[in-house]
Structures are given as C-alpha cells and as structure tokens.
RNA sequence: GCUCGUGUAGUGUAGUUCGGUCCAUCAUGACGGACUCUCGAUCCGUCGACCCGGGUUCAAAUCCCGGCACGAGCACCA
C-alpha cells in the first residue's frame, strides 16, 4: 500500500477573517534610523499578506517621541525607498504621525470629555506603587472640568515636562499591572525635527497607534510579540471609543548569529562615535548595508516568507539568506579572475605553440552568453597559496613551476594536479577585496581581471566567491566588497 | 516577583484547529560520493527531532493534568 507522503505547506497561513480586497495592514517603524534586517520581516510579511488578499499596506512613521528616540529627518526617505526596494512597489498609503497631531490631540480631548481618561499629575514612581496595589491615585476622581483645565495647561506649556500625563481609565483589578490606567499622552517640550515646537503634548505609541489604526481602517495588525500588551491596552481604549479592534498576529524575537540583536538607537550611537562608517557600513545589519553588499531583495523576501509567522523566538544564521541569494545571483553573475597575494610567473612555451588568444566563458553554464577574451603574453599571476611544483592553469595548460618560470607540459589536462586560477598581467588591474568581519575589515590586495567591469556589478571571483564592485577610480585600485561564497 | 507567550533534527520550518493517512515535511547545515578545467553550479546518498512525567484512547506530535525550560512585557521608548 502506498502511503501518501507528507508535504510542507508553502506560503503564509491564511489571515483570519480576511475579505479579499478589503484587507488593510500597516508597517509602522520609528524613523530614528534606516531599516534593519529585523524591520524587513515586517515589510515582507505585511506586503505579502496584502498581495494575497489584494489589500493595502499603510507605511506609517511613528515619530511621536522627540526625547528618547528622536526621529532622524533623512530616515523618512530612506525607509520609504527601502520599503519600495524590498517590496518592488511603494506603500499604498504613507503617513507621518507627527503631521497627524491635531487628530490625536482631538481624540485625547474626546477621551477626557467622555470621562474615560484623566490627567494624572502623580510622579511615575508614585503611580507605579499605587498601580501595583490596584489603588487609584487622587487625580483619577477629578471632574471632567478639572481634567480639561489641566489638559489645556499641559498644551499651553503651563505644566512642565514630566509633571502630568493623560491616562486611560481601566479596571484597576486587571491581573496584568502593566495595563492598569496606562499612559496615553505625555508632555515633551523638546522640538520635533519635523514639526518644530508646535506641540507640547505628544501621544505615546499605544494611543497614537490605536487611534491611527482605527482611522486608517486597519483590519489586521502583524507585529512582534513584545507588543502583546500593547494589543491589550489598545483593546481597552477601543472599548471606550466603541471601536472594533483589528485582528492581531505576532512574530517572535529574531536574532542573527552574525549580528546578535539590532537596535537602531545603538547603531546610531556607534556611528556617531565613529565605530562604523555610516548606516551602510557592511558590518551592520541594515538593509542599506545588505543591499550595498549585493543581497537581492528577493532573497530577503524568500527568507522571511519561508520562516513564516511563528511566535517562537528564533536565532538564525546569515548562511540561510546567503544560500538563497546564491541561487538567485549565480546564474546572472559573470566570472572573473581575482588574484590575491600575487606571485609573478613567466611562461616557458617549452616547444609548444602558444595561442595568442584565449576565450573564457563569462558563465560556466552559459547562463550568460559570450566570452572574455585574453591575449596571452608571457607574464602572468597566480596566488602565492597556489604556488606548487605542478599546477593546472585553469582553462589553459598544465605547467611545471621552477622558481618563477612556468614550463608548459601540456594544454590537455593530463593528470589530477590542482587547478589554479591565473591572470595575464596585461589584463590585470590592482584591486582590493574587502571582507567585513566582527572586528573590522579584512582586506585582500590583489589584481582583478580587467574586462568589462562596472561599478555596482556583482560577479563571482573564481575560487573566491561573490563580490560587488564598489568603485572603479580613475587611478588606483578597484574596490571590491565581498558578498559571500 | 507579577502578567503574557513559546517548546518538532545543529539552524529554521510543515503537520497540532476536527487524535489514526506521521517509524513525522521541506530547506539549510554537516559528512560521503558522482560530475564539472572554480573552493561555484548540478546530481545521489547518509546524519539528525516531536521538552519531561503521568492520564484518556484500540490509537497521541496532536486531547487532559502536572512539571521543566526559554522568551517577552511590567518606560512619561517604539
């Protein structure tokens, strides 16, 4: 009897309660830096769900903090572009929380007027100790009039930063203390990089996000499970307003072996201190760095889609992304010779008639048609590591090496001697291959086969690995950035 | 500590809703081999897992109970 073999489901699981054409999702980063590989999970998963249901994605900049994680003005455009690069099309709607401030402040007032919010003038630590005992603070019983008065004082700057916050009334006996009378808005007098000093009171994530999700008609929220309590807080607010909370899904925490965790503010500080050369420093787990090295957006997409949506905390390796990237770029990457740590040799014909031209395939399986044509002269290079009594010059000849003389034994491959890549010096140009590593960069000086090269080209250096051409200067060495094997 | 969540091979993942088609899927990895004038690609093979203990049942990765482990939240950050 034939057993039916188990199969692996492909693609994301269906979204609960999704109606074709009516799904609205959102991706809401803080523009305090460009996107990291961690963010890309949100971009990929949300955009994939949207395309599964012909829905939309709202790209929302959650930039309501001017103090702890202040926005970086450049980051808005970086993120917009990186989103587009990852998805292949722009987000359907793009909004900034900071430009929507009047709306949030209006809803805050409505909350106070509705009596389900109040201005609390306790210190954070006092409130916390009351809260932990399920005890109301004195401010909680203030009349609506008093609350509105205090609210006005918060907004006109009469009440100082740190001296008041607006809270959402909840059941103080909620089992989870974190949810009890949670803070919705606070005072921040620091100027906002985008809107300046227009506002004294700024909403916190849980309030801003909750109101905006409702206003944008978001039907499904997919977010990290660290935000589970946010869902619960926001649901309480929705109940007050009489709104229906979106379906919510979560993913677990992700660590990448090669990078560890990734904190945008941490990187920002390190860059400012000069530990990195910028956001696209190839040692950083940012999208701009991966892109610069030659990772394809398709590889990043496939990677996250294969992981799918689970609440497990995972620790993954760049090897997985590299493997996917390899299969994508292998067929369209031309081959070139790159000689690290070169050794000069001179060809001794030994009575053989040496052809003056050699045609080498641009791609071994001819996925790319055509040849690189070498004019053979006597002087050529091999890597010092390949130096041996007898080697095979790839695609050319068996040679015996004595000192720096390479005597041709045969053009045919006659034995199992090691194959080495090589390069006639008339086709060589100085190049340095930079490989990012944990403690800096490793630089291999050498010579690259100087045929049809251009900046941004991703090629496979024979017997070395994939690399991207960073720069071809007028004079001096070509700069190569190592991608992976 | 309190609250919430998660446990399938080295890594990641499918299967868990409605127990049998599961001596458990796929990818990656490691190892071995074939092929190839790259340490690339391709092909073949091998390795390797249901957190633990009870229970229900003819039958449990799947249901129930009890442990254990790990993670997150408990910010006037997002």
């Amino acid at each position: 009897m034939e057993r039916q073999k188990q199969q692996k489901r492909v693609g994301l699981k269906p979204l609960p309660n999704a109606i074709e054409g009516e799904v609205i999702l959102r991706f809401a980063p803080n523009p305090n830096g460009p996107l990291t590989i961690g963010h890309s999970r949100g971009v990929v998963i949300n955009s994939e769900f949207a395309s599964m249901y012909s829905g939309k994605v709202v790209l929302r900049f959650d930039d309501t903090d001017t103090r702890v994680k202040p926005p970086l003005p450049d980051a808005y455009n970086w993120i917009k572009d990186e989103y587009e690069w990852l998805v292949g099309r722009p987000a359907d709607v793009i909004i900034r929380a900071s430009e929507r401030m009047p709306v949030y402040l209006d809803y805050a007032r409505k909350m106070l007027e509705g009596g389900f919010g109040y201005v609390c003038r306790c210190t954070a630590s006092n409130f916390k100790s009351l809260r932990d005992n399920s005890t109301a603070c004195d401010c909680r019983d203030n009349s609506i009039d008093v609350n509105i008065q205090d609210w006005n004082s918060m907004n006109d700057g009469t009440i100082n930063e740190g001296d008041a916050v607006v809270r959402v009334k909840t059941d103080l006996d909620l089992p989870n203390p974190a949810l009890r009378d949670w803070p919705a808005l606070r005072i921040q007098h620091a100027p906002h990089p985008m809107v300046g000093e227009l506002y004294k009171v700024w909403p916190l994530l849980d309030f801003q996000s909750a109101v905006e999700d409702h206003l944008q008609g978001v039907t499904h929220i997919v977010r990290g499970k660290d935000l589970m309590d946010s869902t619960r807080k926001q649901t309480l607010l929705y109940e007050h307003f009489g709104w229906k909370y979106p379906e919510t899904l979560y993913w677990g925490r992700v660590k990448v072996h090669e990078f560890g965790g990734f904190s945008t503010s941490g990187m920002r500080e390190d860059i400012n201190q000069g530990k990195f050369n910028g956001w696209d420093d190839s040692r950083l787990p940012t999208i701009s760095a991966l892109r610069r090295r030659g990772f394809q957006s398709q590889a990043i997409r496939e990677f996250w889609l294969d992981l799918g949506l689970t609440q497990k905390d995972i620790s993954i390796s760049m090897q997985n992304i590299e493997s996917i990237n390899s299969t994508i770029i292998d067929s369209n990457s031309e081959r070139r010779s790159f000689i690290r740590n070169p050794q000069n040799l001179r060809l001794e014909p030994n009575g053989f008639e040496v052809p003056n031209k050699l045609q080498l395939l641009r791609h071994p399986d001819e996925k790319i048609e055509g040849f690189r044509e070498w004019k053979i002269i006597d002087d050529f290079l091999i890597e010092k590591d390949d130096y041996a009594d007898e080697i095979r010059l790839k695609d050319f000849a068996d040679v015996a090496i004595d000192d720096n003389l390479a005597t041709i034994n045969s053009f045919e491959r006659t034995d199992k001697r090691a194959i080495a890549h090589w390069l006639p010096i008339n086709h060589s140009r100085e190049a340095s291959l930079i490989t990012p590593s944990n403690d800096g960069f490793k630089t291999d000086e050498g010579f690259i086969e100087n045929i049809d090269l251009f900046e941004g080209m991703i090629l496979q250096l024979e017997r070395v690995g994939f690399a991207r051409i960073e720069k071809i200067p007028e004079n001096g060495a070509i700069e190569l950035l190592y991608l992976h094997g």
Side-chain angles (χ1 to χ4, degrees), chain A residues 224-431:
Chain A
K225 69 174 187 181
D226 50 314
L227 259 24
M228 278 180 164
D229 283 351
S230 267
T231 301
R232 298 177 185 111
K233 288 185 203 173
Q234 295 177 358
T235 303
L236 297 169
L237 181 69
Y238 270 55
E239 285 166 5
H240 280 134
F241 277 120
W243 301 337
K244 183 186 175 299
Y245 201 75
E247 294 284 341
T248 312
L249 307 171
Y250 306 94
W251 58 68
R253 205 185 49 144
V254 180
K255 260 192 200 160
V256 178
H257 295 319
E258 288 81 351
F259 298 114
F262 12 72
S263 127
T264 304
S265 24
M267 280 188 272
R268 190 169 172 175
E269 196 170 314
D270 288 344
I271 291 167
N272 286 337
Q273 287 181 5
K275 288 187 195 165
F276 296 104
N277 298 326
W279 289 103
D280 63 351
D281 188 301
S282 49
R283 294 163 293 180
L284 252 24
T286 56
I287 293 302
S288 48
L290 296 179
R291 190 176 174 180
R292 178 176 166 194
R293 284 169 59 191
F295 282 96
Q296 307 295 296
S297 58
Q298 188 193 341
I300 297 172
R301 289 187 66 85
E302 283 180 21
F303 172 73
W304 287 122
L305 292 178
D306 182 59
L307 290 202
L309 201 58
T310 66
Q311 290 189 30
K312 262 169 85 174
D313 299 314
I314 53 174
S315 186
I316 49 121
S317 163
M318 281 303 290
Q319 275 189 348
N320 291 284
I321 301 181
E322 289 172 2
S323 162
I324 299 170
N325 203 57
S326 287
T327 57
I328 294 170
I329 64 176
D330 183 80
S331 61
N332 52 29
S333 298
E334 295 200 18
R335 270 52 174 177
R336 290 293 184 276
S337 193
F338 176 65
I339 313 295
R340 301 165 290 196
N341 198 15
Q343 165 74 48
N344 279 275
L345 292 179
R346 172 169 279 266
L347 202 62
E348 164 54 51
N350 191 23
F352 287 94
E353 190 179 328
V354 180
N356 53 16
K357 279 194 302 190
L358 191 60
Q359 286 194 318
L360 299 156
L361 291 168
R362 287 177 186 267
H363 186 284
D365 306 326
E366 296 186 77
K367 298 269 173 56
I368 300 169
E369 292 181 359
F371 301 91
R372 306 116 69 186
E373 193 171 279
W374 287 6
K375 191 162 175 261
I376 306 298
I377 60 167
D378 289 346
D379 293 298
F380 69 97
L381 308 167
I382 63 168
E383 298 199 343
K384 277 212 173 76
D385 282 354
D386 288 329
Y387 189 92
D389 290 346
E390 294 188 322
I391 61 170
R392 168 80 186 169
L393 300 179
K394 187 172 182 300
D395 296 312
F396 184 54
D398 288 354
V399 295
I401 299 176
D402 182 23
D403 196 20
N404 59 0
L405 210 61
T407 306
I408 295 180
N409 296 141
S410 154
F411 289 117
E412 300 301 311
R413 184 147 165 76
T414 55
D415 50 26
K416 292 279 188 186
R417 68 181 71 183
I419 296 169
H421 60 296
W422 60 294
L423 183 62
I425 61 166
N426 54 317
H427 290 298
S428 72
R429 174 159 175 189
E430 266 188 280

Side-chain angles (χ1 to χ4, degrees), chain A residues 42-159:
Chain A
V43 173
V44 170
I45 297 288
N46 277 296
S47 62
E48 179 69 11
F49 274 134
S51 85
M52 279 166 65
Y53 294 99
S54 311
K56 290 182 179 161
V57 179
V58 177
L59 168 57
R60 184 183 75 215
F61 294 104
D62 278 353
D63 57 349
T64 57
D65 172 40
T66 62
R67 184 68 73 190
V68 184
K69 294 178 182 170
L72 189 64
D74 286 336
Y76 294 83
N77 270 325
W78 291 342
I79 291 173
K80 179 177 150 291
D81 292 344
E82 286 162 356
Y83 178 100
E84 199 165 334
W85 179 72
L86 282 165
V87 177
R89 48 169 292 183
D92 301 284
V93 178
I94 301 179
I95 55 172
R96 293 178 188 177
S98 56
E99 69 190 4
R100 303 268 297 160
M101 282 296 287
V103 177
Y104 307 142
L105 297 179
D106 189 43
Y107 275 95
R109 175 179 280 272
K110 280 182 184 152
M111 180 165 76
L112 295 172
E113 286 168 351
F116 51 94
Y118 64 98
V119 175
C120 171
R121 305 187 63 165
C122 302
T123 65
S125 61
N126 274 349
F127 182 85
K128 183 177 172 7
S129 50
L130 290 171
R131 181 199 71 180
D132 289 346
N133 292 308
S134 294
T135 312
C137 77
D138 291 342
C139 321
R140 196 178 207 258
D141 294 328
N142 285 341
S143 68
I144 290 176
D145 285 345
V146 170
N147 279 322
I148 295 294
Q149 258 176 42
D150 284 347
W151 170 247
N152 290 336
S153 303
M154 286 174 74
N155 280 286
D156 65 21
T158 315
I159 302 183

